[in-house]
Amino acid sequence: MDFDFNFPQLNLKNVSTKERVIYFLSNEWPLSVKQIYNKVSKESKSGISYQAVHKVIKRLEEDGTVVQNGKDYKLSDDWLFSLKKFSDEVHGRYSKTQGKYEVKPSFEGKIVMHFDDYSNFIVTTANLLEKRVLIGNGPNIGVGIFRHVLWPLRFAFSDFELFIKMTKSIPKTYGLILNDTPLDRWIKQQWLSGGFGGLRLGVVFEGVDGDVIIHGDSIIQVRYSEETKKVVDEVYKRNSNLLDIFKEYFTRSLGKKKTSIDVVLTKNSELAAVMRKQILSYFPEAANSTVNSNG
């Protein structure tokens, strides 16, 4: 079986025909080719032919993703089992790191963290932001400067739910992205669809080596090793969507790549306010944000 998994999307209009077919069959089954075509064509921006949809369905059948049920189609039980197994394995790896770094809302000074897995770093950071333990007496506004738009390279369904919760927990979020790659552009659309206030790609920002995130009174400084920068840069340059990342995880042994990430959390309300103002100046639409409110 071809492990050609597809994952839930924040915006159905941004996905491929293959992903649309899987999405509709995950919500209603069995469906005839005509029924699938009618649903897919409604979501297609540029229009799609019946023959093209039928061809996609036959390819999905060949790789074991869908099976026939009489004259209709449904998702393969074997494919669904494999997808669940993969998701459970990823969740198990993540759960081993949960609780390793606990941050209390009353923390002062600095907290130092280290990660040897890029995805674990991102999920841990998202958890901290979603719980709003960094705000202190500052505003519930999240801003940052990043090398790339953050996204775990080993994606699990629980991550999708976490990011939705995070965007709801922090309704005002803005980011400056130093790079502008195919994957950055795709992830940007997912975040904006999920409720992010604004993201600007390809920004030249002097004096930043790594990522800087400001939430309330706290500052998160992220330092990547040179090897980590190289690995992440290559992944973002040669991939353009989540399915590409999944394929790379298996074909290029992405999960075995060595990474090293150092993170420092600092409570400094004055510096956080200065940096927040500087970053928000890139987003005119954020000028009316109430920066003195905890949200």
Side-chain angles (χ1 to χ4, degrees):
M1 176 181 293
D2 182 4
F3 290 98
D4 194 8
F5 296 139
N6 296 267
F7 296 88
Q9 308 289 325
L10 293 176
N11 188 345
L12 194 60
K13 293 186 180 298
N14 292 332
V15 303
S16 67
T17 299
K18 180 189 294 185
E19 289 169 311
R20 289 193 181 102
V21 170
I22 293 174
Y23 172 80
F24 289 123
L25 285 177
S26 69
N27 286 278
E28 183 181 354
W29 66 91
L31 294 174
S32 67
V33 175
K34 184 177 181 180
Q35 288 174 313
I36 296 172
Y37 165 72
N38 288 337
K39 291 177 179 293
V40 170
S41 62
K42 288 181 181 179
E43 297 292 342
S44 178
K45 291 181 179 179
S46 56
I48 187 170
S49 68
Y50 179 91
Q51 290 77 12
V53 173
H54 185 263
K55 187 175 182 180
V56 168
I57 294 172
K58 297 307 292 184
R59 286 181 178 175
L60 287 171
E61 184 179 14
E62 290 172 2
D63 66 30
T65 303
V66 304
V67 295
Q68 279 194 286
N69 184 42
K71 294 183 178 181
D72 299 334
Y73 288 88
K74 68 174 186 176
L75 295 177
S76 161
D77 290 339
D78 289 341
W79 184 84
L80 290 171
F81 176 78
S82 299
L83 182 59
K84 182 179 184 301
K85 182 179 179 182
F86 172 78
S87 180
D88 289 345
E89 288 175 351
V90 173
H91 183 267
R93 287 193 290 269
Y94 281 179
S95 63
K96 292 179 181 179
T97 65
Q98 292 179 357
K100 182 178 180 180
Y101 294 114
E102 293 290 341
V103 179
K104 297 181 179 179
S106 59
F107 93 93
E108 297 291 339
K110 294 184 178 180
I111 296 177
V112 179
M113 304 178 179
H114 177 78
F115 299 88
D116 56 12
D117 184 283
Y118 183 76
S119 297
N120 286 349
F121 147 66
I122 292 176
V123 172
T124 299
T125 302
N127 266 305
L128 288 174
L129 296 173
E130 188 273 327
K131 292 177 180 177
R132 303 203 292 190
V133 296
L134 306 178
I135 293 178
N137 296 317
N140 184 25
I141 298 175
V143 300
I145 305 170
F146 307 89
R147 299 189 75 255
H148 293 284
V149 189
L150 297 183
W151 192 270
L153 302 182
R154 289 192 316 216
F155 196 80
F157 290 110
S158 56
D159 299 339
F160 180 82
E161 296 169 356
L162 170 61
F163 296 148
I164 292 295
K165 289 171 62 178
M166 187 186 75
T167 54
K168 290 181 178 179
S169 180
I170 313 173
K172 298 174 183 178
T173 47
Y174 300 88
L176 303 178
I177 315 301
L178 305 183
N179 287 282
D180 183 2
T181 68
L183 191 56
D184 282 307
R185 292 190 284 273
W186 180 84
I187 299 173
K188 173 185 175 180
Q189 291 304 315
Q190 309 314 307
W191 281 123
L192 292 179
S193 297
F196 260 52
L199 289 168
R200 291 189 59 180
L201 304 181
V203 176
V204 177
F205 203 100
E206 300 295 336
V208 176
D209 180 24
D211 297 344
V212 180
I213 305 170
I214 297 91
H215 189 203
D217 288 339
S218 301
I219 302 170
I220 304 175
Q221 294 174 284
V222 183
R223 294 287 181 269
Y224 302 98
S225 68
E226 291 304 314
E227 179 63 22
T228 301
K229 292 178 183 178
K230 181 179 179 181
V231 169
V232 175
D233 286 349
E234 290 177 351
V235 170
Y236 274 71
K237 287 177 181 177
R238 64 174 170 248
N239 295 288
S240 59
N241 56 54
L242 193 58
L243 184 56
D244 287 348
I245 297 175
F246 184 82
K247 289 179 178 178
E248 172 148 340
Y249 186 81
F250 282 93
T251 61
R252 295 177 180 265
S253 300
L254 180 59
K256 297 180 181 179
K257 300 289 186 180
K258 292 184 178 180
T259 56
S260 179
I261 305 162
D262 292 309
V263 178
V264 178
L265 274 61
T266 306
K267 183 72 72 66
N268 187 324
S269 60
E270 293 183 359
L271 181 57
V274 171
M275 297 184 70
R276 179 167 47 250
K277 182 177 180 180
Q278 186 176 13
I279 294 172
L280 288 176
S281 69
Y282 284 75
F283 300 93
E285 66 274 21
N288 295 324
S289 295
T290 307
V291 297
N292 293 318
S293 170
N294 278 331

